Amino acid sequence: MSRLLVNRSGFVERFGRTDGSNGWRNLYSAPLDQCDKYSFCGANMKCNIIDNSPNCVCLEGFVSRSSKNWSDGCVRRTPLDCKTGDIFRSYTGLKLPDTSGSRYNMTMSLAECKEMCSGNCSCTAYANSNINGSGCLLWFGELADMRKYNGGGQDIYIRMSSSKPDQAKKKPLGIIVASAILVGMLVVRIIVCIQRRKKSMQGMTKGIHMNDSENTEGKEDMELLTFDMTTIAKATDNFSSDNKLGQGSFGPVYKGTLLARQEIAVKRLSKSSGQGQTEFKTEVILISKLQHRNLVKLLGCCIQKDEKMLISSLCRTRA
């Protein structure tokens, strides 16, 4: 049982009385203000008196629906998801929301009230219907006409999302950012590999082969890698004497480095060797077919004007 009155000084006082008590207990008293006169705050908001002026603020866990109009009320920071499971948050010292759309059961305990509200996804809040801790009130919509009291008031349990604020948004965003970074790194790596391969392939083409008139021994055509003169000259520092490895009966041998940092050996046939292009091509094809652990790998050749060169990988002897 409760009663509300305005005393001679203009203060509003509310008194409550429980069964078996000897008297009335003062629940709260306050000047008659705008919060008491009428409800002007929106849904899911509470009215506070600050410096004798009413102030509408969102309940904790709620955010304003509009920054310009308080009457638009507040919405939950994280939307409800009954399938994944929600929780009930306790708010104390409040004037209970408007009960015009609520349901009640005067015989239920608070635990039974919670169980009933939990089993109905449309239930938004529950509370004791009596100040003595008995009875059940259930709300099924937005909560309106609430007020915060510094002393007194009642407890209400409002359904909230079990996820942390904005957790549903942060996780996908983090995944998207991480995926974008990984994809970006992969793309950069691919581009670098392509550029390195382009550099290593600069000045190299596949084009040397023996035609039918040259293939007098019935050997099958073999296409080999050819280098242009500019690439070989750059790799050997224009056939510098510092890069000369030795001298044979058919010409000198130089060491060099391609753009891909691959070390090579270049055998430059002397012009006085008397070897024609057909004989040279035959030699290249025969060497390319030979495979032995004591033989270096033939990479290709260079045939340009009067120049004939064999290019192989540089073999370094280990101690």
Side-chain angles (χ1 to χ4, degrees):
M1 297 176 61
S2 66
R3 60 189 177 92
L4 189 71
L5 61 89
V6 180
N7 62 22
R8 295 178 181 178
S9 300
F11 283 79
V12 175
E13 294 179 297
R14 183 186 178 190
F15 296 90
R17 184 172 182 173
T18 60
D19 295 339
S21 62
N22 296 323
W24 293 91
R25 182 167 60 94
N26 188 294
L27 300 179
Y28 67 83
S29 62
L32 192 62
D33 52 39
Q34 294 188 49
C35 284
D36 289 318
K37 288 180 180 178
Y38 56 89
S39 174
F40 67 99
C41 295
N44 305 314
M45 305 182 78
K46 58 185 178 181
C47 181
N48 289 350
I49 300 298
I50 301 177
D51 296 330
N52 296 322
S53 298
N55 183 46
C56 294
V57 294
C58 295
L59 293 172
E60 191 174 351
F62 289 77
V63 292
S64 177
R65 185 181 279 117
S66 172
S67 59
K68 297 181 179 180
N69 191 355
W70 287 113
S71 62
D72 290 339
C74 302
V75 293
R76 287 172 176 79
R77 188 183 301 274
T78 304
L80 297 176
D81 189 353
C82 190
K83 294 181 179 179
T84 59
D86 297 322
I87 60 174
F88 287 91
R89 186 170 186 170
S90 174
Y91 296 83
T92 61
L94 291 177
K95 170 187 174 295
L96 295 181
D98 177 67
T99 58
S100 58
S102 65
R103 302 176 190 173
Y104 69 93
N105 187 310
M106 302 302 292
T107 62
M108 280 188 175
S109 65
L110 189 63
E112 293 172 330
C113 191
K114 178 182 179 180
E115 184 178 357
M116 177 172 285
C117 191
S118 300
N120 190 332
C121 292
S122 300
C123 182
T124 55
Y126 71 92
N128 278 133
S129 56
N130 296 328
I131 59 175
N132 62 359
S134 63
C136 175
L137 269 172
L138 301 174
W139 285 265
F140 295 88
E142 293 185 328
L143 310 175
D145 193 21
M146 286 181 286
R147 177 176 177 184
K148 175 66 178 177
Y149 293 112
N150 294 326
Q154 291 181 247
D155 297 343
I156 184 172
Y157 303 87
I158 301 176
R159 185 188 290 268
M160 304 294 290
S161 173
S162 58
S163 302
K164 292 182 179 180
D166 299 329
Q167 186 179 26
K169 296 181 180 179
K170 289 181 180 179
K171 282 187 176 181
L173 179 61
I175 294 173
I176 292 172
V177 172
S179 301
I181 293 174
L182 291 176
V183 172
M185 293 173 64
L186 180 61
V187 171
V188 171
R189 189 174 183 86
I190 292 174
I191 293 175
V192 171
C193 291
I194 292 175
Q195 290 178 344
R196 286 181 179 176
R197 182 165 181 80
K198 284 183 178 179
K199 287 183 179 180
S200 65
M201 294 300 292
Q202 282 182 346
M204 294 180 277
T205 58
K206 288 185 177 180
I208 181 172
H209 63 277
M210 296 183 66
N211 55 34
D212 293 339
S213 60
E214 296 171 331
N215 194 6
T216 55
E217 299 182 8
K219 299 181 179 66
E220 68 277 8
D221 287 356
M222 289 191 63
E223 194 176 70
L224 297 175
L225 195 65
T226 62
F227 295 76
D228 60 47
M229 186 64 182
T230 303
T231 301
I232 301 303
K234 187 174 181 180
T236 59
D237 195 14
N238 202 20
F239 302 99
S240 171
S241 58
D242 295 335
N243 291 330
K244 189 174 181 180
L245 297 176
Q247 178 77 33
S249 58
F250 289 97
V253 178
Y254 299 88
K255 69 176 180 179
T257 305
L258 297 175
L259 292 177
R261 298 186 179 277
Q262 182 180 11
E263 292 184 323
I264 58 173
V266 180
K267 177 183 177 183
R268 189 180 189 186
L269 273 65
S270 63
K271 297 180 181 179
S272 59
S273 63
Q275 191 179 42
Q277 283 195 8
T278 302
E279 291 82 1
F280 179 73
K281 289 181 179 181
T282 302
E283 181 183 359
V284 171
I285 293 173
L286 288 175
I287 295 175
S288 65
K289 289 183 176 182
L290 293 176
Q291 293 183 358
H292 195 275
R293 63 182 180 179
N294 294 330
L295 293 177
V296 295
K297 180 182 179 181
L298 182 66
L299 299 178
C301 61
C302 175
I303 305 175
Q304 194 168 346
K305 296 182 180 180
D306 296 332
E307 293 285 353
K308 303 180 189 70
M309 288 177 279
L310 290 172
I311 295 91
S312 62
S313 58
L314 184 60
C315 179
R316 293 185 177 274
T317 304
R318 296 183 179 178

